[in-house]
């Protein structure tokens, strides 16, 4: 069911993917990957209560997996529980310092949501500096958050500079 769900997800059929992930979780409630996969779909659908339930289950079943904590942090952030979001992202950071750029990006977005643009910029710039050049999707995400930050903080010059560099295929 997990593999079939993944196939449906890659074919952009999230409803069918969710059905398979839920079936996998029902058949094996001790499988954190099934809960995590379903929660990711719920997060995309903005069904935050279901996403929180799934990520929490995954994190309880496999507390050493940083992705489970980081994604739980995103649900908390989306629902305004910023302190819980910060705790979850910091837990992920402690568990996986090798991929710190992922969790620093999350912390940067949390601070942006709090309105602390200085702290947000610090986290996001650190994430950008630590993200390997080969991590194009991760770097793109960080740049999008930097653009959002600069737009919100009124630094349109910097936001425009990053947008233009990305359009030219350059790393800002």
């Amino acid at each position: 069911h997990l593999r079939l769900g993944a196939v449906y997800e890659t074919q952009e059929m999230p409803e069918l993917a969710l059905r398979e992930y839920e079936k996998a979780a029902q058949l094996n409630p001790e499988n954190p990957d099934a809960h995590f996969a379903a929660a990711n779909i719920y997060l995309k659908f903005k069904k935050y209560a279901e996403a929180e339930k799934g990520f929490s289950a995954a994190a309880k079943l496999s507390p050493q997996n940083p992705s489970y904590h980081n994604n739980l942090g995103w649900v908390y952030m989306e629902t305004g529980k910023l302190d819980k979001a910060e705790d979850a992202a910091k837990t992920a950071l402690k568990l996986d310092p090798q991929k710190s750029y992922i969790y620093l990006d999350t912390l940067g977005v949390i601070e942006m949501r709090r309105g602390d643009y200085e702290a947000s910029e610090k986290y996001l710039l650190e994430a950008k500096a630590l993200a390997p050049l080969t991590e194009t999707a991760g770097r793109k995400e960080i740049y999008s958050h930097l653009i959002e930050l600069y737009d919100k903080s009124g630094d349109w010059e910097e936001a425009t500079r990053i947008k233009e560099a990305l359009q030219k295929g350059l790393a800002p």
Side-chain angles (χ1 to χ4, degrees), residues 32-106:
D33 293 335
H35 295 286
F36 181 71
N40 278 323
I41 301 287
Y42 282 126
L43 182 59
K44 287 178 190 172
F45 288 156
K46 299 183 187 309
K47 292 188 173 190
Y48 299 122
E50 293 90 340
E52 182 177 342
K53 182 180 171 192
F55 290 135
S56 292
K60 283 180 186 140
L61 290 166
S62 185
Q64 298 304 308
N65 187 312
S67 295
Y68 300 165
H69 294 281
N70 191 60
N71 287 27
L72 181 58
W74 277 93
V75 171
Y76 288 146
M77 185 174 26
E78 293 296 339
T79 56
K81 302 172 190 169
L82 298 179
D83 290 340
K84 284 181 141 184
E86 181 181 16
D87 289 344
K90 286 184 175 179
T91 297
L93 181 60
K94 285 179 197 162
L95 290 171
D96 190 12
Q98 296 299 103
K99 293 185 179 173
S100 61
Y101 65 95
I102 295 169
Y103 317 116
L104 292 168
D105 176 65
T106 302

Side-chain angles (χ1 to χ4, degrees), residues 43 46 48 73-83 85 105-117 119-120 124 141 145 148-149 152:
L43 182 59
K46 299 183 187 309
Y48 299 122
W74 277 93
V75 171
Y76 288 146
M77 185 174 26
E78 293 296 339
T79 56
K81 302 172 190 169
L82 298 179
D83 290 340
D105 176 65
T106 302
L107 290 165
V109 176
I110 292 166
E111 292 304 331
M112 188 186 334
R113 298 270 174 96
R114 283 187 171 136
D116 188 341
Y117 298 147
S120 176
L124 292 173
E141 189 77 9
H145 293 146
E148 180 184 354
L149 169 67
K152 284 184 177 200

Side-chain angles (χ1 to χ4, degrees), residues 147 150-151 155-167:
I147 291 167
Y150 292 133
D151 280 342
D155 190 347
W156 298 287
E157 229 174 82
E158 190 61 18
T160 302
R161 186 188 71 74
I162 294 171
K163 287 177 194 174
E164 287 174 353
L166 291 173
Q167 287 171 347

